[in-house]
């Protein structure tokens, strides 16, 4: 059996300063043991490609809260169905960005709430509001399946109900997001099928820090919640066998992954 790791990025593998340094020794181990490390994030393709480059990992990844599943050509030794997307196949699970932007504009008009989406902001303004480095803020605007937004006046619940009434979903990550009826869990399921076809049997590990990670955590064998940097864990319900990592962000990530890999290795159920 082969382990496969699905991980959220912001607040999980990346700390609040967007660094994964605390997890570096474990990332090295994962690479040495050829364990797939799959980012599952609300970030865009362009942002994830940059993080993958910094991490030095290849392979599939999931963008924009499960809107897009990207599979580099040759990642699996069998044909994968999907749209050609520059050296990769894209399995599109999300709703198009144009539809999301007009729905958000409609909600703003209907409620009179002050709502500001990433589409309304320059990269400099995104940096100011989120702390994202400017180069990443530029890449964060290349959106396909998810509109992050700030609700400056009005009720989150009301926005959520209006989104639902037109078949869309309001998701809470570090900030609010409007998406289609996709989530991280469905996207993870899509890749699990491919990894099972590749390895025969696989053990799935999943790590996250917030509500938008719950569908991911529900779809893995070892679900891990890392602590927030403020010191607490996000309240998470409905995830059996949830493991609370001993540490915030990448510190907790590294400890939990080491513990799980050691445990499954000791049980003799995997060879690298
Ligand atoms: Mg997160």
């Amino acid at each position: 059996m082969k382990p496969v790791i699905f991980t959220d990025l912001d607040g999980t593998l990346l700390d609040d300063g967007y660094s994964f340094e605390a997890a570096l020794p474990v990332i090295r181990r994962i690479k040495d043991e050829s364990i797939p490390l799959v980012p599952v994030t609300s970030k865009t393709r362009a942002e994830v490609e940059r993080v993958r480059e910094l991490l030095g990992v290849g392979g599939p990844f999931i963008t924009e809260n499960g809107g897009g599943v990207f599979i580099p050509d040759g990642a699996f030794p069998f044909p994968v169905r999907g749209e050609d997307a520059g050296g990769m196949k894209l399995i599109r699970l999300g709703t198009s960005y144009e539809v999301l932007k007009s729905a958000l504009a409609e909600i703003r008009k209907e409620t009179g709430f002050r709502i500001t989406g990433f589409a309304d902001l320059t990269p400099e303004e995104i940096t100011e509001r989120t702390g994202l480095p400017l180069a990443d803020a530029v890449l964060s605007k290349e959106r396909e399946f998810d509109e992050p937004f700030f609700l400056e006046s009005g009720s989150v619940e009301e926005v959520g109900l209006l989104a639902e009434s037109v078949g869309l979903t309001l998701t809470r990550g570090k900030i609010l997001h409007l998406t289609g009826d996709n989530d991280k869990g469905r996207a993870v399921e899509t890749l699990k099928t491919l990894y099972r076809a590749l390895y025969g049997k696989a053990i799935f590990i999943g790590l996250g820090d917030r509500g938008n990670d719950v569908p991911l955590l529900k779809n893995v064998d070892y679900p891990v919640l890392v602590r927030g940097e403020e010191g607490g864990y996000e309240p998470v319900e409905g995830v059996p066998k949830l493991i609370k990592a001993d540490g915030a962000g990448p510190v907790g990530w590294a400890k939990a992954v080491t513990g799980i890999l050691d445990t499954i290795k000791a049980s003799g159920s995997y060879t690298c």
Side-chain angles (χ1 to χ4, degrees), residues 8-13 40 42 173-174 184 208-210 212-213:
D8 172 48
L9 294 178
D10 289 354
T12 302
L13 179 53
V40 185
S42 54
K174 203 168 182 176
K184 290 185 174 187
D209 71 320
R210 300 224 182 220
N212 62 334
D213 298 314

Side-chain angles (χ1 to χ4, degrees), residues 114-118 121 125-126 129-130 148-153 175-176:
R114 279 184 57 210
I115 296 172
T116 307
F118 268 30
L121 297 170
E125 288 168 329
I126 291 174
R129 286 175 182 245
T130 63
F149 66 95
F150 300 93
L151 183 64
E152 284 142 343
S153 76
I175 58 173
L176 297 169

Side-chain angles (χ1 to χ4, degrees), residues 36-90:
L37 178 62
V38 182
V40 185
T41 174
S42 54
K43 289 180 178 295
T44 62
R45 171 184 180 171
E47 290 177 282
V48 182
E49 286 189 325
R50 191 175 138 81
V51 175
R52 282 163 84 244
E53 230 175 82
L54 295 172
L55 287 167
V57 301
F61 56 94
I62 292 166
T63 66
E64 298 186 63
N65 277 308
V69 179
F70 288 90
I71 301 162
D73 294 340
F76 295 99
F78 45 76
V80 172
R81 270 196 307 183
E83 293 169 33
D84 286 322
M88 302 198 191
K89 285 280 188 285
L90 161 62

